[in-house]
Amino acid sequence: MGIKGLSKLLGDNAPQSFREQKFENYFGRKLAIDASVHIYQFLVVVGRTGDQMLTSETGEVTSHLQGMFFRTARMLEAGMKPVYVFDGKPPALKQEELARRSERRGDAVENLADAKETGEEADVAKYSKRTVKVTRQHNEECRRLLQLMGVPVVEAPSEAEAQCAAMCKEGLVYAMASEDMDSLTFAAPRLTRNLMAPASQKLPVNEYEYAKVLEGLNLTAEQFIDLCILCGCDYCGSIRGIGPTRALQMIQKHGGLEDVLAALDKTKYDIPDPFPYQQARQLFTEPEVLRAEQLAPLKWSPPDLEGIVKFLVEEKNFNEDRVRKAVDRINASRSKSTQGRLESFFGPSTVKSSTQGKRKDPPTGKGKQGGKRGGKAGGVSKRK
Amino acid sequence: MFEARLVQGGLLKKVLDSIKDLVTDANFDCSPNGFSLQAMDSSHVSLVALLLRSDGFDHYRADRPISMGMNLNNMAKMLKCAGNDDIITMKAEDAGDTVTFMFESPNQERISDFELKLMDIDSEQLGIPDTDYAATVKMPASEFQRICKDLASIGDTVLISVTKDGVKFSTTGDIGSANITCRQNTSVDKPEEQTTIELNEPVCLSFALRYLNSFAKATPLSHTVTLSMSKELPVVVEYRIGDLGHIRFYLAPKIEDEEMEDEA
């Protein structure tokens, strides 16, 4: 999923491109959430022991609803405004990758059967996780739940990440939330990861800034897409023996994917055939998305308590007390006014770096220090 | 080379105590004008602006402007080791990566040196425009501190409304509600006990008490506090630090949300 090794590559080469944020700090922010990735995650982890998942009395899986309900409730409680984006039809180029995934799932089913026979519990859990597939019913149930919770839902014509990224670019939302790094390949200005992680894990949210990614890697937007394709994306195969670090070096050296491929020693590296990098590139630059004016205005309405209770408690056997309390907390948070931010009054902030002292992380480009510090000094003297 | 000597070293201790819970890392700017800092909390709801003017120090030297990144908790740890009556001197070399705090006891019997490692920090700065505020309230700092503390036990948001007669602080919580009004009062002999209101236009704004209580930690620095407010603008809570300078806190108000649909 996503781009192979990109998060590590950014950690090593562009540490300034992301930073840790507190979950609570996203109050009042609109966030486009890639629903499919998160539903998949819920099915993999929520309430799982071995190959047993949360189920209702009738044996239907409810892990996805459990995750969707309580984590969305947590966001609403903190004053965030999530909008969920569901996948549409996958692009034709992704069929091969999807077939591969389906094949892996098939293998996992066999392995799971073997593991159950031998009784290896660790293996049972491992392979059972790999058999997880998000079905149409899972998606339908999540949509129904979100509607009851008053949370807007957007149906992407194709890839959800691309749609989220487009909404972020157009300023409809502050950031997008996904775990897939290819969101950055779609040039989402701001990507958050771990936003939907359970509160109990106490994981800080990682916020990536696209502009700083390009700055840190010293690449143009086009080169960054080429880098992602070279690392290995969902749309075309990857070249054996070329990892993220090699890929970055080569793009920096040669400038573009065509020149990299031309310079590549064909005796050492096998370029997969077909290698439809041009089409992949086009999918990243011109993905099939709905534009702002094609979308219904985003509105967050009050949760339908009785509807939620009927669905989750009566149909899916959730604990009524917990469900009602969560809805109460959402309502309590809705009744409060929203905390403003200073930027909305004083304009965007500028970054000023220290002149002395050691940086905890490796330094980035030096150019940005001078000018902005001058601006600040002026501000101080004016206020006296 | 930067060097600044402050006979009233206790002031610097109090300054740090008032900001260290709001901001973790910050850049201190040492320029010929003085020793200053601007920093925001991580949610960008509040901002602190500190200025200690160079002429307020007993000795001050800043050859060229430098910006020293410090972890405020670590700085506070060192300043805690200074006595309240100690003379504090700060020193930093131009190319160095440490700052030295020297504490001298009033009778010069004890001299200590603490060296703090500096950090290179990217701090986010805002350009704050000069504003003529619609309402300015000057009141005893201890009174403001008490109000914020008392109201925080009832609710989490305070509505501050200023009229020509007085300033009213109101809150509502699960257990009930509370209103505290301070009338304009200029008859008291001591100026620091007066409550004065300068008003161009009545103002009414809501704020999170959590932040105001954090600002009120600056109370030991000054007898009076000044609240400046305008419609739909952050409040400024200012404490003057003797002849040395000031510490100003800015807090964004709470606003009504238009995208939340009400119950049909």
Side-chain angles (χ1 to χ4, degrees):
Chain A
M1 286 267 215
I3 307 296
K4 291 187 194 86
L6 182 59
S7 52
K8 186 178 178 299
L9 186 73
L10 291 180
D12 294 342
N13 294 282
Q16 310 298 321
S17 65
F18 62 94
R19 57 180 180 173
E20 293 186 355
Q21 269 287 10
K22 281 189 219 148
F23 178 82
E24 296 76 23
N25 285 354
Y26 288 95
F27 62 84
R29 299 279 199 213
K30 288 179 229 169
L31 300 160
I33 298 169
D34 178 352
S36 316
V37 183
H38 291 105
I39 295 173
Y40 177 79
Q41 263 193 343
F42 296 151
L43 286 171
V44 171
V45 294
V46 174
R48 175 185 285 271
T49 39
D51 65 338
Q52 299 298 305
M53 303 211 266
L54 291 179
T55 55
S56 65
E57 264 171 15
T58 53
E60 284 173 85
V61 173
T62 56
S63 289
H64 56 301
L65 295 173
Q66 169 89 10
M68 189 58 98
F69 179 67
F70 287 104
R71 297 200 195 156
T72 309
R74 181 168 171 245
M75 285 199 266
L76 292 170
E77 218 184 303
M80 293 176 214
K81 301 185 203 169
V83 39
Y84 282 87
V85 179
F86 283 83
D87 267 329
K89 201 167 81 43
L93 268 193
K94 206 175 176 177
Q95 292 304 342
E96 203 178 314
E97 168 73 18
L98 292 177
R100 212 173 307 141
R101 283 186 202 166
S102 157
E103 194 181 305
R104 273 200 300 252
R105 255 197 311 274
D107 291 350
V109 172
E110 281 169 30
N111 288 332
L112 177 62
D114 288 351
K116 275 186 182 163
E117 224 156 84
T118 55
E120 279 290 333
E121 276 177 32
D123 281 355
V124 170
K126 186 166 93 185
Y127 291 122
S128 139
K129 281 180 188 172
R130 289 192 197 163
T131 60
V132 166
K133 183 176 191 304
V134 180
T135 64
R136 180 167 299 184
Q137 193 196 349
H138 294 141
N139 278 328
E140 273 313 318
E141 287 177 340
C142 285
R143 270 193 204 102
R144 183 175 159 201
L145 175 65
L146 290 169
Q147 217 149 32
L148 290 169
M149 293 177 83
V151 173
V153 166
V154 167
E155 301 294 336
S158 184
E159 298 266 47
E161 294 104 300
Q163 181 64 45
C164 291
M167 290 164 73
C168 192
K169 267 187 257 184
E170 292 189 282
L172 286 181
V173 293
Y174 172 77
M176 64 172 288
S178 178
E179 303 305 309
D180 276 3
M181 291 300 280
D182 58 2
S183 313
L184 287 173
T185 321
F186 286 112
R190 248 190 222 96
L191 165 69
T192 63
R193 296 177 92 193
N194 301 336
L195 192 75
M196 299 279 275
S200 56
Q201 276 188 14
K202 296 215 169 66
L203 277 180
V205 178
N206 265 330
E207 184 176 308
Y208 289 82
E209 268 191 73
Y210 179 67
K212 289 189 180 164
V213 168
L214 296 187
E215 188 188 301
L217 296 178
N218 200 11
L219 296 178
T220 63
E222 293 75 33
Q223 289 174 326
F224 180 65
I225 290 176
D226 285 358
L227 168 72
C228 292
I229 294 174
L230 204 49
C231 288
C233 64
D234 291 348
Y235 302 140
C236 44
S238 54
I239 303 171
R240 267 183 80 92
I242 295 182
T245 313
R246 259 311 257 141
L248 177 63
Q249 284 166 355
M250 291 197 301
I251 296 280
Q252 280 171 340
K253 186 175 167 199
H254 299 289
L257 197 46
E258 278 83 359
D259 297 320
V260 170
L261 293 180
L264 208 58
D265 183 351
K266 303 285 187 305
T267 57
K268 274 208 252 163
Y269 298 102
D270 274 336
I271 300 172
D273 186 40
F275 191 56
Y277 66 92
Q278 278 150 327
Q279 286 104 304
R281 201 186 263 166
Q282 196 180 356
L283 279 175
F284 283 123
T285 46
E286 296 161 28
E288 196 186 341
V289 290
L290 294 173
R291 310 205 30 100
E293 60 271 14
Q294 292 170 283
L295 294 169
L298 303 175
K299 287 279 185 193
W300 288 263
S301 33
D304 172 0
L305 174 61
E306 292 318 314
I308 293 173
V309 168
K310 184 168 175 293
F311 182 31
L312 292 185
V313 178
E314 286 171 29
E315 290 176 36
K316 301 290 175 186
N317 305 109
F318 275 51
N319 178 323
E320 178 162 0
D321 203 37
R322 287 193 65 199
V323 170
R324 282 187 184 274
K325 276 189 179 147
V327 176
D328 282 349
R329 287 197 301 268
I330 297 174
N331 279 324
S333 153
R334 286 181 61 89
S335 66
K336 288 180 192 158
S337 46
T338 316
Q339 173 66 57
R341 282 192 176 74
L342 289 170
E343 283 98 334
S344 52
F345 303 97
F346 295 150
S349 58
T350 52
V351 173
K352 198 187 90 176
S353 307
S354 320
T355 55
Q356 340 282 107
K358 289 205 174 104
R359 183 163 281 281
K360 280 183 280 183
D361 310 313
T364 43
K366 284 173 189 142
K368 67 177 180 190
Q369 288 195 357
K372 279 166 189 157
R373 195 180 314 127
K376 159 73 189 338
V380 168
S381 53
K382 212 191 295 169
R383 279 205 303 281
K384 275 198 281 187
Chain B
M1 171 86 183
F2 165 70
E3 198 175 278
R5 176 180 160 97
L6 193 61
V7 173
Q8 281 180 280
L11 283 178
L12 203 59
K13 285 166 66 100
K14 290 176 190 165
V15 164
L16 247 279
D17 285 338
S18 70
I19 57 176
K20 73 175 189 336
D21 294 334
L22 214 53
V23 180
T24 40
D25 301 320
N27 280 322
F28 284 89
D29 295 307
C30 315
S31 77
N33 294 325
F35 186 69
S36 63
L37 162 150
Q38 196 210 83
M40 276 191 278
D41 76 288
S42 68
S43 61
H44 293 193
V45 167
S46 65
L47 179 146
V48 51
L50 167 77
L51 172 68
L52 304 177
R53 276 188 297 271
S54 53
D55 53 20
F57 286 87
D58 302 281
H59 164 74
Y60 189 95
R61 176 179 164 195
D63 296 342
R64 65 179 189 92
I66 57 168
S67 181
M68 302 191 291
M70 295 187 221
N71 175 292
L72 296 188
N73 259 317
N74 294 343
M75 184 179 174
K77 267 183 208 166
M78 292 196 170
L79 291 179
K80 264 210 176 76
C81 304
N84 282 331
D85 310 324
D86 280 4
I87 301 162
I88 298 185
T89 307
M90 296 181 279
K91 270 187 269 188
E93 297 296 330
D94 277 349
D97 53 14
T98 58
V99 59
T100 304
F101 299 103
M102 187 173 78
F103 313 138
E104 301 163 68
S105 65
N107 54 16
Q108 300 288 320
E109 277 171 356
R110 184 177 194 263
I111 294 169
S112 5
D113 273 316
F114 285 76
E115 197 177 68
L116 177 68
K117 288 180 190 156
L118 294 176
M119 301 157 62
D120 185 1
I121 297 166
D122 288 334
S123 72
E124 288 167 289
Q125 306 279 312
L126 291 181
I128 299 168
D130 281 327
T131 313
D132 289 324
Y133 284 93
T136 308
V137 179
K138 202 172 159 194
M139 63 192 291
S142 55
E143 178 65 33
F144 177 69
Q145 183 180 38
R146 184 179 160 200
I147 290 170
C148 292
K149 189 169 144 265
D150 289 352
L151 292 186
S153 61
I154 312 289
D156 55 15
T157 302
V158 60
L159 181 75
I160 307 181
S161 19
V162 191
T163 60
K164 62 180 179 358
D165 301 325
V167 50
K168 186 167 94 172
F169 301 86
S170 327
T171 191
T172 311
D174 290 340
I175 60 165
S177 63
N179 291 293
I180 299 172
T181 304
C182 295
R183 292 241 171 88
Q184 167 132 275
N185 158 17
T186 47
S187 58
V188 198
D189 294 341
K190 294 181 190 159
E192 66 258 27
E193 286 176 10
Q194 290 179 353
T195 299
T196 56
I197 295 170
E198 281 174 44
L199 190 78
N200 298 325
E201 188 185 1
V203 184
C204 197
L205 288 170
S206 290
F207 298 101
L209 279 162
R210 185 160 67 88
Y211 291 96
L212 293 179
N213 266 312
S214 178
F215 301 167
K217 293 200 171 110
T219 304
L221 282 169
S222 180
H223 289 295
T224 58
V225 62
T226 311
L227 313 178
S228 306
M229 300 200 293
S230 277
K231 197 179 155 202
E232 284 165 12
L233 267 188
V235 61
V236 190
V237 180
E238 175 174 341
Y239 295 86
R240 298 203 71 80
I241 310 171
D243 299 329
L244 191 56
H246 61 245
I247 183 160
R248 285 178 189 153
F249 299 97
Y250 294 80
L251 176 60
K254 293 208 166 188
I255 39 185
E256 289 308 319
D257 200 322
E258 288 140 23
E259 270 147 341
M260 292 283 183
E261 274 184 354
D262 290 328
E263 306 271 352

